[in-house]
Amino acid sequence: MFLCDDMTSENSTSYESLTLADHGASSMAELYIEGVILTIICLVALVGNVSVYLIVIRTKKLRTVTNFFILGLAAADILVSVANMPVTVASLFAGTWPLDHTSCLVFGFINMLTLCSSVLSLCNISINRYVMICRPFRAKIIYTKRNAILMVIGKFIFVSSSAIIYSI
């Protein structure tokens, strides 16, 4: 069940009346410290993942099949840093969901999209490494640059359709 569904349910608790204990925090200071730490993590993740893109784009030798999968992971992590984390931090500082019900549904979709993309990117990388080590001759046939790009795009299409189904 979506958290957003609880916001409109007649039997649910109003999010404006939640206490610090409901957030798992013992003080407002703890919430603010958590928000500051998440902000730092968000900024470091954003800078690090954009750096990965810049380095791979600028260095021709790094444009390998495996690095295409790593770029797919970096893209998912950039989306987490840009879309998910700021809203999470804003919710922490506000002590409640700061936006309307529709925004909650949209951010639920974005959360599902970005987090599943990260997990499937790790799966792509793991399968690629397994095939490269255990079936090296077959790997050269399967893992061409074209196929790697199609696998990354296919992952985003699969995750998007799954997130849409989950959000409905």
Side-chain angles (χ1 to χ4, degrees), residues 30-42 89 92-93:
E30 188 177 322
L31 285 178
Y32 286 121
I33 290 169
E34 188 177 339
V36 168
I37 290 170
L38 283 174
T39 301
I40 292 168
I41 291 170
C42 176
V89 170
L92 275 172
F93 287 140

Side-chain angles (χ1 to χ4, degrees), residues 28 70 97 104 110 127 132 156 161:
M28 285 301 289
I70 291 172
W97 177 252
C104 183
I110 293 171
I127 292 168
M132 295 293 271
F156 278 108
S161 60

Side-chain angles (χ1 to χ4, degrees), residues 1-66:
M1 176 193 256
F2 250 145
L3 178 64
C4 302
D5 294 339
D6 291 342
M7 292 172 63
T8 57
S9 172
E10 295 172 7
N11 298 329
S12 68
T13 305
S14 168
Y15 283 93
E16 287 77 30
S17 66
L18 291 177
T19 64
L20 289 171
D22 295 323
H23 288 286
S26 59
S27 68
M28 285 301 289
E30 188 177 322
L31 285 178
Y32 286 121
I33 290 169
E34 188 177 339
V36 168
I37 290 170
L38 283 174
T39 301
I40 292 168
I41 291 170
C42 176
L43 293 173
V44 170
L46 185 61
V47 169
N49 286 302
V50 168
S51 297
V52 168
Y53 259 92
L54 292 174
I55 290 167
V56 171
I57 288 170
R58 288 185 177 183
T59 310
K60 191 166 183 138
K61 288 182 181 179
L62 292 178
R63 294 182 206 156
T64 64
V65 171
T66 302

Side-chain angles (χ1 to χ4, degrees), residues 2-4 7 97 99-109:
F2 250 145
L3 178 64
C4 302
M7 292 172 63
W97 177 252
L99 303 170
D100 63 353
H101 179 73
T102 304
S103 299
C104 183
L105 293 173
V106 168
F107 281 104
F109 169 79

Side-chain angles (χ1 to χ4, degrees), residues 68-146:
F68 287 137
F69 293 122
I70 291 172
L71 290 178
L73 177 61
D77 290 345
I78 288 169
L79 287 173
V80 170
S81 298
V82 171
N84 296 5
M85 295 296 279
V87 176
T88 301
V89 170
S91 296
L92 275 172
F93 287 140
T96 184
W97 177 252
L99 303 170
D100 63 353
H101 179 73
T102 304
S103 299
C104 183
L105 293 173
V106 168
F107 281 104
F109 169 79
I110 293 171
N111 262 338
M112 179 77 172
L113 178 78
T114 56
L115 299 174
C116 288
S117 291
S118 289
V119 170
L120 287 180
S121 293
L122 292 171
C123 290
N124 271 346
I125 293 167
S126 299
I127 292 168
N128 172 261
R129 294 290 81 202
Y130 171 80
V131 172
M132 295 293 271
I133 292 167
C134 295
R135 307 267 194 260
F137 298 114
R138 200 170 226 193
K140 292 181 183 186
I141 298 167
I142 297 171
Y143 288 105
T144 62
K145 286 184 180 182
R146 177 187 166 275

